[in-house]
């Protein structure tokens, strides 16, 4: 029972910790990207003829930074302006960046409009992207001049990788729990065996006393025990000594 409780509690704690780590990493990555944009260029964001600008700076120069960040962290990074994906580390089957695409209406309305455009970040550990299960994080993208929120920096990680890591942790916890239970059972077996042996000695001693044998000697180890077994052994010893006097 204790082992099952340990496994269930440990799995629950591991899942919670995993979500916290994923959330923390994704928040850090999106904030870092926004700060990097602010450092390399000045002015407001705009999108024209397939090119994303900050002021007069073509932000394509930031792809090396975003690609490196995404590769090291194992995440996809996107920059969304309005309802359009203007930068992304995500490539199609031909190796082309999937920019210029519109967000689906549900994502735009329920995430960008309801949360991000109100100045809030948005995190969903059970989100989706491109038809696959993703943990997603959206961080507001603000205009430098007015503070108006005009988009978001997105960070997403495929849950297949998270689930694989989680399954590995769960398996390890189950193995540890089973080994713990087995060790506990072995210890209990030997402890019970010791108790049975001590009780048998006391019973044998009482039987011999009842038959008139007053030479019965109880083991000192049993007499010194601080439990009921010790009380019985002490009683047998005391009985033989008192009968011997008589």
């Amino acid at each position: 029972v204790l082992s099952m409780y340990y496994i269930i509690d440990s799995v629950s704690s591991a899942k919670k910790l995993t979500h916290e780590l994923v959330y923390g990493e994704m928040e850090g990555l999106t904030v870092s990207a926004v700060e990097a944009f602010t450092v390399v260029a000045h002015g407001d964001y705009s999108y024209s003829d397939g090119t994303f600008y900050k002021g007069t700076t073509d932000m394509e120069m930031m792809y090396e930074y975003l690609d490196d960040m995404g590769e090291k962290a194992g995440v996809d990074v996107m920059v969304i302006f309005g309802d359009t994906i203007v930068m992304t580390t995500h490539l199609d089957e031909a190796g082309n960046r999937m920019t210029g695409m519109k967000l689906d209406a549900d994502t735009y309305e329920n995430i960008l409009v309801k949360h991000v455009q109100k100045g809030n970040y948005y995190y969903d550990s059970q989100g989706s992207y491109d038809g696959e299960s993703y943990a997603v994080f959206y961080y507001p993208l603000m205009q430098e001049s007015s503070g108006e929120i005009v988009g978001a920096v997105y960070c997403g990680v495929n849950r297949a990788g998270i689930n694989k890591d989680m399954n590995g942790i769960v398996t390890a916890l189950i193995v540890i729990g089973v080994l713990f239970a087995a060790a506990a059972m072995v210890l209990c077996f030997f402890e019970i065996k010791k108790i049975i042996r001590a009780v048998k000695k006391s019973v044998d001693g009482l039987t011999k006393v009842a038959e008139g044998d007053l030479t019965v000697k109880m083991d000192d180890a049993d007499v010194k025990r601080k439990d009921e077994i010790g009380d019985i052994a002490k009683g047998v010893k005391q009985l033989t000594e008192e009968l011997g006097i008589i």
Side-chain angles (χ1 to χ4, degrees), residues 48-229:
S48 177
D49 297 327
T51 303
F52 181 54
Y53 296 93
K54 190 174 193 305
T56 60
T57 303
D58 183 346
M59 296 302 285
E60 187 171 355
M61 62 181 290
M62 292 300 295
Y63 267 127
E64 183 177 354
Y65 169 80
L66 295 178
D67 288 340
D68 183 63
M69 180 174 70
E71 183 178 353
K72 288 180 178 178
V75 300
D76 292 323
V77 182
M78 291 191 306
V79 179
I80 301 165
F81 185 77
D83 62 352
T84 305
I85 299 171
V86 296
M87 296 185 75
T88 181
T89 60
H90 195 72
L91 308 178
D92 62 18
E93 294 180 356
N96 300 313
R97 296 189 188 274
M98 301 173 66
T99 58
M101 298 174 57
K102 299 286 186 180
L103 295 176
D104 62 84
D106 183 64
T107 299
Y108 180 70
E109 291 294 332
N110 292 314
I111 298 178
L112 272 295
V113 174
K114 289 186 178 180
H115 297 278
V116 180
Q117 289 182 8
K118 294 179 180 180
N120 303 314
Y121 61 78
Y122 178 86
Y123 172 70
D124 185 0
S125 63
Q126 303 291 334
S128 63
Y129 176 71
D130 200 24
E132 297 186 48
S133 179
Y134 266 65
V136 299
F137 192 97
Y138 293 79
Y139 190 83
L141 189 67
M142 298 182 183
Q143 295 290 34
E144 187 174 307
S145 63
S146 63
E148 178 190 0
I149 297 171
V150 292
V153 175
Y154 159 98
C155 186
V157 59
N158 196 313
R159 286 200 56 83
I162 299 176
N163 292 338
K164 182 179 179 181
D165 293 340
M166 179 58 66
N167 289 338
I169 293 173
V170 170
T171 300
L173 290 173
I174 291 174
V175 170
I176 292 172
V178 170
L179 291 176
F180 177 79
M185 290 177 64
V186 170
L187 290 175
C188 287
F189 171 77
F190 284 109
E191 187 62 28
I192 291 172
K193 194 171 182 180
K194 285 172 60 179
I195 292 173
I196 292 174
R197 185 163 54 243
V199 171
K200 187 175 186 302
K201 287 181 182 178
S202 297
V203 172
D204 290 343
L206 286 172
T207 300
K208 289 180 180 180
V209 170
E211 293 172 350
D213 184 356
L214 302 181
T215 63
V216 174
K217 300 292 183 181
M218 300 303 297
D219 290 344
D220 287 341
D222 292 335
V223 174
K224 292 178 180 178
R225 289 177 65 117
K226 303 296 183 180
D227 55 12
E228 289 79 2
I229 305 301

